[in-house]
Amino acid sequence: MATYKADIERYDKINYRRTGNSGLLLPEISLGLWHNFGKNDDFENARDLLKCAFDNGITHFDLANNYGPPYGSAEKTFGKILKKDFKKYRDEIIISSKAGYDMWPGPYGNFGSKKYLISSLDQSLKRMNLDYIDIFYHHRPDNDTPLEETMGALDLIVRQGKALYVGLSNYKPERAEAAFKILKELGTPCLIHQPRYSLFDRWIEDGLLDLLEKSQVGAICFSPLAQGMLTDKYINGLPKDSRAVKDGRYLKTDQVLEMLPKIKALNEVAENRNQNLAQMAISWILKDERITSVLIGASKTEQILDSLKATKNTSFSGEELKKINTILK
């Protein structure tokens, strides 16, 4: 089998943005491994997805301890592919993982204790066969654990050399601000915040984006396509092989049907911009310079290539923005 050689022109194919006030640049599109990298997913397809991404300048791969299924299997798959195809490119790749959601039974496998975070990262490093990861996130706030303990664990992880940077995910503005303050005082400033953000879910506009700008913290947004609703997949109804029909855990058919008029109207705006709806949804997020990167998922290489086209047209006219906001009212 031929040894993988990355495209020598990969860094000319995508733009990179500075992450907050740090020295770290991230690609405008990052690849998330939440789906399609589990134990029963096609291993060769997973390899193709990572190669396609890296060949097009996507240097950032985002995981979490419980991605799979089963939990941990996405990290195992990634570790195998890293060893097989990307070992010599390790210093050109940003690898992130997280802990904060349910991972193993008992009182030490969830939320935000120092015990859980340190143990979880140790397990993640073993699964991926790594000495360190680039970014380690606390995956969600834990109101029952003192913030000082959780942030102290993140600081310790960096001092131990197990992660280069730390981040937060799913934190609302008030708690995020308190966490930023603690981390700064400890000497390990928060690099990046990972919230859900899309045309259909704009909660971060109510204070979080302003806080990130003021605090000089980067932002990487997940679910930019609202679990597939912001694509042309549902324009003509509910395909049998769609996520809403096959797996109702994250997207229900009722949600799709309720949003369908807005989906169709947004699709018209996208067509007038010479984009498809998915591309416009990503471009709309990237129009804001406070956003460092948009985190996409993919089951096919074509989806990665399609998303990359969004980075070529991130400007919106006042009229386009007015139309979009009117549709979303």
Side-chain angles (χ1 to χ4, degrees):
M1 189 178 290
T3 303
Y4 167 64
K5 290 183 181 177
D7 190 317
I8 59 171
E9 296 178 349
R10 59 192 177 278
Y11 294 118
D12 300 324
K13 296 182 181 182
I14 195 170
N15 301 315
Y16 296 84
R17 296 188 181 189
R18 188 161 300 281
T19 314
N21 189 38
S22 76
L24 188 69
L25 298 174
L26 289 180
E28 289 185 334
I29 300 286
S30 298
L31 184 65
L33 279 65
W34 184 16
H35 299 291
N36 306 306
F37 288 82
K39 183 178 179 181
N40 295 323
D41 289 308
D42 186 326
F43 181 76
E44 290 306 318
N45 185 58
R47 287 180 75 191
D48 289 342
L49 291 172
L50 292 175
K51 289 177 187 176
C52 175
F54 193 62
D55 281 340
N56 285 278
I58 295 177
T59 52
H60 179 211
F61 302 126
D62 182 75
L63 298 109
N65 57 355
N66 62 349
Y67 287 177
Y71 294 166
S73 58
E75 289 181 330
K76 283 185 179 177
T77 297
F78 180 75
K80 288 176 187 173
I81 297 170
L82 193 67
K83 183 178 180 181
K84 191 180 284 281
D85 298 311
F86 292 96
K87 195 169 183 181
K88 69 178 180 179
Y89 300 111
R90 171 64 184 99
D91 293 338
E92 298 180 49
I93 293 173
I94 301 297
I95 300 167
S96 61
S97 194
K98 317 176 196 75
Y101 282 95
D102 174 54
M103 184 61 194
W104 64 83
Y108 316 122
N110 206 343
F111 293 109
S113 71
K114 181 182 284 190
K115 169 69 174 173
Y116 171 48
L117 296 182
I118 301 292
S119 300
S120 179
L121 180 53
D122 284 346
Q123 292 176 20
S124 292
L125 291 172
K126 285 177 186 173
R127 282 191 288 267
M128 293 186 279
N129 195 29
L130 290 171
D131 296 322
Y132 73 95
I133 60 170
D134 299 281
I135 306 169
F136 183 67
Y137 291 90
H138 186 220
H139 207 163
R140 63 166 168 176
D142 174 5
N143 294 325
D144 294 324
T145 299
L147 200 54
E148 291 80 4
E149 178 178 343
T150 304
M151 296 308 110
L154 295 182
D155 172 65
L156 178 61
I157 280 163
V158 170
R159 294 184 189 281
Q160 288 177 331
K162 295 174 182 176
L164 301 184
Y165 304 93
V166 296
L168 306 176
S169 183
N170 298 305
Y171 273 60
K172 296 292 173 62
E174 186 178 348
R175 198 161 179 84
E177 186 170 24
F180 295 164
K181 185 173 184 291
I182 294 168
L183 285 170
K184 191 172 184 181
E185 289 171 353
L186 289 169
T188 301
C190 184
L191 173 80
I192 195 165
H193 189 295
Q194 187 177 131
R196 184 191 301 272
Y197 187 41
S198 73
L199 281 160
F200 287 165
D201 190 354
R202 299 172 64 170
W203 72 271
I204 70 171
E205 295 172 11
D206 294 331
L208 183 62
L209 278 173
D210 290 338
L211 172 66
L212 297 182
E213 182 177 28
K214 181 183 83 172
S215 307
Q216 297 184 303
V217 173
I220 179 168
C221 304
F222 71 91
S223 291
L225 306 182
Q227 296 296 325
M229 283 195 289
L230 289 166
T231 68
D232 56 15
K233 185 182 294 182
Y234 298 107
I235 297 290
N236 298 311
L238 295 163
K240 289 181 181 177
D241 65 344
S242 65
R243 185 178 297 173
V245 173
K246 284 179 15 181
D247 181 359
R249 286 178 301 163
Y250 304 110
L251 180 63
K252 300 191 180 340
T253 54
D254 289 352
Q255 283 176 271
V256 177
L257 294 172
E258 183 185 339
M259 299 301 287
L260 201 50
K262 292 180 179 181
I263 293 169
K264 289 181 176 180
L266 288 169
N267 190 58
E268 284 184 24
V269 178
E271 286 177 346
N272 289 330
R273 286 172 51 82
N274 295 314
Q275 290 183 310
N276 60 39
L277 180 53
Q279 289 165 358
M280 187 183 79
I282 293 170
S283 297
W284 179 84
I285 295 174
L286 287 171
K287 76 184 186 311
D288 193 325
E289 293 179 357
R290 294 172 292 185
I291 305 297
T292 310
S293 185
V294 173
L295 193 57
I296 65 163
S299 58
K300 303 171 186 173
T301 55
E302 292 81 10
Q303 293 168 335
I304 295 172
L305 298 173
D306 189 68
S307 295
L308 285 162
K309 292 174 185 174
T311 65
K312 308 304 179 189
N313 182 11
T314 59
S315 296
F316 287 74
S317 68
E319 185 182 346
E320 286 173 329
L321 292 175
K322 188 178 176 182
K323 269 186 187 174
I324 289 169
N325 286 330
T326 300
I327 292 165
L328 294 174
K329 275 182 181 175

